[in-house]
Amino acid sequence: MNNDLFKKLVDLYAGHELPSELEQEVESAAAVDSTMLVEMTTMRNTVDTLQGDPGPEFTEESYQRILMKLYARGAAIQPKAPSPAHLQYHLPIQG
Amino acid sequence: MAEKRWLTALSEGDPNALGAIYELYGERIFRYTFRMLGNRTDAEDATAETFLRVVRRSAELRADGAFRTWLFRIARNLCIDKLRQHKLMELPPDAQYSGAEERTTLRVTVHQALADLPLEYREPLIYCDLEEMSAKEAADILKISVPALKSRLYRGRRALRDKLGSAMERTP
């Protein structure tokens, strides 16, 4: 297999872009080619790690601070008061 | 449908429209700007500025599906300006993740490796792998062709893998 075709197949495999039949063929070929196997595994793990990243949390504080910045700079938007703590949880009534 | 209604309302000067559009897109723009800039404070500033520019340029708005691309382009331009300032000021990125220790360590490593990539490679990874946009949408934001986007995406993934080294040899 020439180098460009090999790289192209690995790129498509890593991004889950190969049709399932071709993916199986590539995996079979990699089973007897350790270089190819390492390349395919590491590239796919890289993509899967990125795609599984939940990202930074958009906290209530950030949400409110952005609203305040918009409001302070004259945008027609109203900052909302955060919900009071006693309204955030519903405790079961005992007795 | 909600987007189209609120964009029309914004272009007509409806005072409730900006709040509604912020509700629809605030979190995505914040996450994107955080990933581009690496710290919460700058991401909050850039997010607020993005929505201010939406209001200022509401006459250009078209509720035809291209709004998201336009919105991300505004955010991108702001991030690039801020990154230039960062280069001058050398601001440290925040630690941004929480969770189990090993997973957190890997994420911080990935985040740092991503931050070290040239912008040319980092942006396609952010759009396609982290923000789950289509290649077409990412290419439109960057004003490049889809093949050019894919070429940068694949080279970016390889560059990231090479930076991460042995961490990528195990099963995630």
Side-chain angles (χ1 to χ4, degrees):
Chain A
M1 191 184 304
N2 76 47
N3 199 37
D4 284 347
L5 178 60
F6 171 75
K7 276 179 82 171
K8 184 77 183 163
L9 277 176
V10 171
D11 286 336
L12 294 173
Y13 176 83
H16 302 269
E17 293 175 77
L18 287 176
S20 58
E21 285 171 16
L22 188 51
E23 180 165 315
Q24 282 170 10
E25 273 188 46
V26 172
E27 283 173 348
S28 301
V32 293
D33 182 338
S34 60
T35 309
M36 189 174 178
L37 182 64
V38 169
E39 188 72 3
M40 281 168 49
T41 308
T42 55
M43 284 302 297
R44 181 167 273 191
N45 284 349
T46 303
V47 174
D48 288 349
T49 302
L50 281 175
Q51 292 182 350
D53 186 317
E57 189 186 355
F58 188 46
T59 61
E60 177 69 22
E61 290 78 14
S62 286
Y63 172 88
Q64 293 294 341
R65 277 195 293 266
I66 293 165
L67 270 184
M68 288 303 294
K69 284 174 200 282
L70 287 166
Y71 182 67
R73 294 185 59 185
I77 197 164
Q78 287 296 318
K80 296 174 191 166
S83 308
H86 69 278
L87 293 179
Q88 291 179 7
Y89 305 101
H90 296 280
L91 298 174
I93 297 170
Q94 299 288 320
Chain B
M1 285 306 283
E3 175 188 296
K4 194 172 179 181
R5 185 161 51 89
W6 286 118
L7 290 177
T8 305
L10 186 68
S11 64
E12 290 169 355
D14 182 336
N16 295 316
L18 180 61
I21 291 168
Y22 176 57
E23 291 294 329
L24 283 173
Y25 283 107
E27 181 170 0
R28 274 207 83 182
I29 293 296
F30 171 80
R31 268 205 329 257
Y32 166 70
T33 55
F34 198 145
R35 281 170 161 151
M36 285 287 282
L37 298 169
N39 76 82
R40 186 169 293 273
T41 306
D42 279 344
E44 289 171 1
D45 283 347
T47 304
E49 186 59 34
T50 299
F51 286 95
L52 281 169
R53 289 195 185 182
V54 167
V55 177
R56 283 191 209 124
R57 294 165 61 178
S58 58
E60 297 171 27
L61 281 175
R62 291 178 314 164
D64 63 356
F67 174 71
R68 200 165 77 157
T69 304
W70 184 74
L71 182 66
F72 270 88
R73 254 191 220 148
I74 291 174
R76 175 178 184 257
N77 289 338
L78 286 163
C79 288
I80 287 172
D81 287 347
K82 279 192 177 283
L83 285 170
R84 288 193 186 120
Q85 292 165 17
H86 273 227
K87 272 205 165 154
L88 296 175
M89 293 161 60
E90 293 291 327
L91 290 180
D94 290 353
Q96 58 171 296
Y97 296 112
S98 58
E101 194 175 332
E102 191 187 348
R103 215 173 52 228
T104 305
T105 306
L106 177 63
R107 285 192 188 139
V108 170
T109 306
V110 171
H111 174 71
Q112 285 169 347
L114 194 60
D116 287 342
L117 289 181
L119 197 58
E120 182 190 12
Y121 292 161
R122 183 154 38 112
E123 287 191 290
L125 294 177
I126 292 176
Y127 294 127
C128 296
D129 287 337
L130 294 168
E131 291 297 325
E132 297 175 353
M133 287 180 186
S134 66
K136 169 80 172 70
E137 194 173 3
D140 284 347
I141 292 169
L142 293 168
K143 296 183 180 173
I144 59 176
S145 66
V146 171
L149 181 277
K150 288 210 163 191
S151 170
R152 287 190 199 179
L153 176 68
Y154 297 150
R155 277 185 278 154
R157 284 172 177 169
R158 280 181 190 280
L160 184 69
R161 187 275 311 266
D162 293 345
K163 278 185 184 290
L164 293 170
S166 59
M168 288 299 106
E169 283 174 19
R170 59 170 187 69
T171 309

